[in-house]
Amino acid sequence: MSKSIINAAVLIGYGSIGGYHAKVLDQRYGNLAIVDGNEKARSSAAEAYPKFRVASSLDELDAQAWEWKNSVAVIATWGPSHSEIYHKLADLGIGGILCEKPLAHSVKAAAEMVQRATEAGIALGTHLHREYSGFAEGISKVQLETEIGKPYSFIVHGGAAGLVTNGIHYLGIASGLFESDPDWVVSTAQEEAINPRSPNLRMYGGTATWSYGDGRELIMSMTNKSSIATKMQVFYRNAVIEIFPDLQIEVRKRLDEELEKYPAVTRLGEPKNVAFQGKIPGLRPLEECTSLLLDEIEQGNTKTYPPASALETLGGIIGALESGKSGMRVTLPIDPNSDIGRAEWPIS
């Protein structure tokens, strides 16, 4: 697809996430419209961005002869509303769309969004920003430099961060580390009405394991009974990478003399040799990630993290929720037209 002439933006949803996007869009485009059905949110938007248009609905903005074809839209509302807003924007002839995660609240709804993007030539990007951060590429570079081989286990554990709310980012990271999508998932996921974003959304806690084959697994354990911050570890044959909350990392290896004496994998030992400490090489800040995604949308090709990948990641997360509900292992990817694929979830 040839590069679109996008010189304006429409932001749908002016909450905490929408406020972040408004700042990015304001620095990037000379013409911005903010749409929110909440009167208080509109007042805040009008005060913060007095030179731009503020509307209560897409229809109200359309009545003002907005140039949709030359605009990018950012959907920054809660997950269950994404699909409806997306199709409305598509009907209006929007030039490109950046959708907050998750792409939709069901696999079927997300698949229909991806299909329409392909058929209508809509550049669709999903704001799983760590896919644009260089995270997986930076870890791969460290793996090569420290000669620790390939990863086998990615473990994420902590308090009420949410298997969906934050877990969807870690699932995307795992697929990058393992360079493949998961084959199946099994979990104990359970919902609680403690999501701080909205009383209509749920926070999912529990433990989930995604299998990538060849013994490779992502294990995510998020308990809604704890307020302790999330920790991350990646395990290798004879080494471990500790990933800290500030995204600093430490690579620790087994001592060579121990491995020479007892080479069997069943002879365990402490990783005492610190081979690397510091920032993940090439890691980009959040706003740069968002800008790179908007660049791709403007160019008509979200190649770094295409819609099909966002659909796979959403399916992996929804598979964990279904496994927790049914007590059964869920095979991936999920057929959009299956019962699991059509099931809708209060996620964001």
Side-chain angles (χ1 to χ4, degrees):
M1 185 186 300
S2 60
K3 184 176 180 179
S4 302
I5 303 174
I6 292 179
N7 52 26
V10 180
L11 171 64
I12 303 97
Y14 190 71
S16 58
I17 298 173
Y20 161 76
H21 284 291
K23 291 178 182 178
V24 174
L25 297 173
D26 179 37
Q27 295 171 3
R28 190 179 182 98
Y29 303 103
N31 198 12
L32 172 66
I34 299 174
V35 177
D36 198 301
N38 183 280
E39 184 178 354
K40 185 177 179 180
R42 291 198 303 275
S43 296
S44 297
E47 182 178 354
Y49 301 96
K51 66 179 180 178
F52 297 130
R53 299 190 207 184
V54 176
S56 62
S57 67
L58 291 173
D59 287 333
E60 179 185 335
L61 184 62
D62 186 48
Q64 300 174 26
W66 186 266
E67 292 290 334
W68 299 101
K69 185 178 180 180
N70 297 328
S71 300
V72 61
V74 176
I75 303 173
T77 56
W78 304 142
S81 66
H82 288 178
S83 176
E84 180 181 357
I85 294 170
Y86 170 85
H87 289 294
K88 177 67 174 179
L89 288 165
D91 290 341
L92 290 167
I94 195 72
I97 297 175
L98 186 161
C99 185
E100 261 299 333
K101 59 85 183 170
L103 186 57
H105 63 312
S106 76
V107 176
K108 181 175 176 59
E112 289 172 347
M113 292 167 69
V114 172
Q115 181 178 359
R116 186 166 189 183
T118 300
E119 293 174 350
I122 298 171
L124 171 61
T126 306
H127 199 231
L128 281 173
H129 52 81
R130 285 184 178 167
E131 303 304 315
Y132 286 81
S133 70
F135 187 103
E137 294 87 347
I139 294 294
S140 295
K141 183 178 181 180
V142 171
Q143 289 172 183
L144 288 172
E145 291 178 350
T146 56
E147 299 180 329
I148 58 176
K150 58 185 179 181
Y152 285 102
S153 177
F154 181 26
I155 299 178
V156 182
H157 58 104
L163 285 173
V164 179
T165 306
N166 287 287
I168 195 167
H169 289 289
Y170 302 125
L171 181 56
I173 288 172
S175 295
L177 291 175
F178 296 135
E179 299 182 337
S180 66
D181 294 315
D183 299 322
W184 52 261
V185 59
V186 62
S187 88
T188 62
Q190 290 187 328
E191 67 175 43
E192 288 190 56
I194 60 170
N195 197 313
R197 295 180 170 183
S198 168
N200 298 320
L201 301 173
R202 296 295 180 264
M203 183 70 76
Y204 289 85
T207 300
T209 299
W210 289 264
S211 173
Y212 290 79
D214 192 28
R216 299 172 301 165
E217 294 179 338
L218 164 64
I219 302 100
M220 201 184 313
S221 186
M222 306 285 201
T223 174
N224 284 341
K225 309 303 180 184
S226 174
S227 65
I228 300 301
T230 304
K231 292 186 177 181
M232 292 179 276
Q233 294 173 303
V234 186
F235 285 84
Y236 299 76
R237 173 61 168 77
N238 298 310
V240 61
I241 296 182
E242 189 94 23
I243 305 169
F244 300 100
D246 62 357
L247 299 183
Q248 296 276 324
I249 64 172
E250 182 176 86
V251 181
R252 298 191 304 274
K253 302 168 65 174
R254 294 278 311 280
L255 297 175
D256 291 339
E257 53 267 33
E258 289 184 0
L259 293 172
E260 290 172 2
K261 188 174 182 180
Y262 301 112
V265 72
T266 52
R267 294 299 296 262
L268 307 183
E270 290 292 327
K272 299 177 182 178
N273 178 18
V274 178
F276 180 89
Q277 284 180 319
K279 295 181 179 180
I280 299 173
L283 192 68
R284 302 182 184 95
L286 174 57
E287 288 194 10
E288 185 176 342
C289 298
T290 307
S291 293
L292 286 172
L293 174 52
L294 287 168
D295 286 344
E296 291 190 347
I297 291 173
E298 288 182 13
Q299 293 161 7
N301 183 13
T302 50
K303 58 185 179 180
T304 300
Y305 192 65
S309 296
L311 175 60
E312 289 287 340
T313 303
L314 174 66
I317 284 290
I318 286 179
L321 303 186
E322 175 61 30
S323 176
K325 180 180 178 181
S326 68
M328 303 292 289
R329 188 172 84 174
V330 174
T331 301
L332 302 172
I334 293 170
D335 180 355
N337 294 309
S338 66
D339 289 342
I340 300 175
R342 292 192 300 269
E344 298 179 348
W345 302 84
I347 56 178
S348 195

